[in-house]
Amino acid sequence: MNVYYLGSALNLSSLYMIAGTGALISIKSGDYNLGGEGQIYLGGFVSAVILAYSGLPAAIAIPLAITAAFASSALLALLSALFKIFRNADFLFTSYIISAAIIPFIDGLISGPARSKTDNLLATAFIPEAARLPSILEPSPLNASFIFALALAAAAWFLLFRSAWGRQLCILGTSPAFSRFAGFACKKLSLTSALLSGGLHGLAGAAAILGTYFTCHQGFYAGMGWNAFSAALIAGANPLALIPSACLMGFMTTYANRYALFHNFGFDISSLIQAFILFIISFPFLQKVQPGQKLFSLRRARS
């Protein structure tokens, strides 16, 4: 197996794990966060701007960039939670709309005031060498963010299944009515889960800048949010199962693109390959639901 592609697949898997943890928390809360793409893009852009233009030493700039990436993307997801609480808006819908709105805004900044003055790319300036995460499997881009992603998945499992906050969040996602009657702080749970979900997507963007791209170029986020969300769904909302599911998505994406490149296909063929494999994975689960079973259950519940 080619070392470069192996490391690239594992590196991409780490980004899916970090963002997928954020998606998984939103799934457990019952508020599906579909704004992952915009949140990853915002986190990457904020961290790239701080690292490239602040002029601060790396020891100060890196923690500041990571914190700013987490906070900015968390606030983006928080807007959807506030709309849900005060205007009864659908979290799924508003998270997607806000993400769709922030992406062209960031594109405009990258092509305008934040664009590098020395390169021809539609991107920010490259971050300093001292701020870049070194590779742990050269010549691939695999870096320490993979180890962080593994630890994050384990921490998310403990948070969701071994803490009072996590148990209440899972109950809220299963039965909001029961949570209200039980006296849970439902609004606080929704707000904190949105903050964590958005913030972790922002961390994925920062990790991509620190360890993979070293600059925020237009479109680097493409597909990352949706693949992370798919990994969370495959994991069945279990953070530990997110590790193999994120690796599955990372290897599929990397080697599908490799196949398309070496066999002279258009790069869109990689998406078709991924879609076919995901359909095969989900097909056995579809067989468990008999035709009309869901409709019958709904009719019985209404009667």
Side-chain angles (χ1 to χ4, degrees), residues 186-243:
C186 297
K187 292 181 180 179
K188 186 180 294 186
L189 288 170
S190 295
L191 291 173
T192 52
S193 64
L195 285 169
L196 276 176
S197 179
L200 289 173
H201 281 91
L203 279 186
I209 300 304
L210 285 164
T212 304
Y213 301 112
F214 310 126
T215 181
C216 181
H217 61 82
Q218 283 189 3
F220 86 87
Y221 63 90
M224 196 180 296
W226 292 113
N227 286 340
F229 192 81
S230 297
L233 290 176
I234 294 172
N238 184 338
L240 295 181
L242 182 63
I243 296 173

Side-chain angles (χ1 to χ4, degrees), residues 47 85 93 120 143 189 191 208 235 237 245 274 286 288 298-299:
S47 59
I85 292 171
F93 178 74
N120 293 325
N143 55 76
L189 288 170
L191 291 173
S245 67
Q274 293 176 54
L286 297 177
K288 296 180 181 179
L298 288 174
R299 287 177 176 173

Side-chain angles (χ1 to χ4, degrees), residues 66-92:
I66 292 173
T67 302
F70 183 95
S72 58
S73 297
L75 290 175
L76 206 63
L78 181 65
L79 287 176
S80 296
L82 292 175
F83 284 135
K84 174 189 173 183
I85 292 171
F86 294 108
R87 304 299 300 176
N88 199 29
D90 190 344
F91 188 98
L92 180 149

